[in-house]
Amino acid sequence: MNYKVIDPEKYYRKGVYRHFTEDCKCSTSMTARIDVTELVTYSKVKGTKFYINFLYILSKVLNSRDDYRMAYLWQSKEFICYDVINPIQYVFHEDTETCSPVYTTYSEDYPLFYKNALADIERAKESREYGLDAANHPNWFDASYISWLSYDSMNIELPDGYLYFLPIINWGKYREENGRLVMPVTVRLNHAVADGFLIANVYRLLEKEIGLFVTK
């Protein structure tokens, strides 16, 4: 785990950063549907899991620019940018109706990521513990699939004043609309490091990367 410390005075969004860390501490979130028709078809043809394929693409997008890898270290009061962030996915246990977090290390090497994510999920299925270990996994972002519902909106709340900068991403079931398969995705980021453009850009990048992925 490596990171660079950012001087807020030299940060390209320094005015926004100051306002939303001092005057108005808040988050911003957005829900939109993305077209996953080709990714669903690709996953079926290749015999791979759509869920892991999307997780890989999402992780690639969030690692594609510094803005999505920002963090605040409250212990040292440092504003930082990680070299890489990794997804915390979740396994749901039908018998207990609880979930266990799954820590999967991101790799741009798709076969390696897929293999590791699949193994991580299988190990987590044996557990019934929540087992969240944020202290030893500081550069992990939350990636949670809400498999029971194709929702239209969602809001993630964090306590006022808590400078949590890493992305929180949720997505639901895809559904058919006008002959296409669309999936709701919710992106939450702290307003100090992101605005409407940067959040909307996640969706643009997701659809771009899906297009590149299915034509490999």
Side-chain angles (χ1 to χ4, degrees), residues 58-70:
L58 173 65
S59 300
K60 186 176 182 181
V61 165
L62 294 180
N63 276 286
S64 68
R65 59 183 291 166
D66 289 357
D67 297 284
Y68 305 132
R69 291 183 273 111
M70 300 295 191

Side-chain angles (χ1 to χ4, degrees), residues 141-155:
F141 70 92
D142 198 271
S144 184
Y145 173 40
I146 302 171
S147 61
W148 310 276
L149 183 68
S150 183
Y151 60 87
D152 292 315
S153 65
M154 181 178 183
N155 189 44

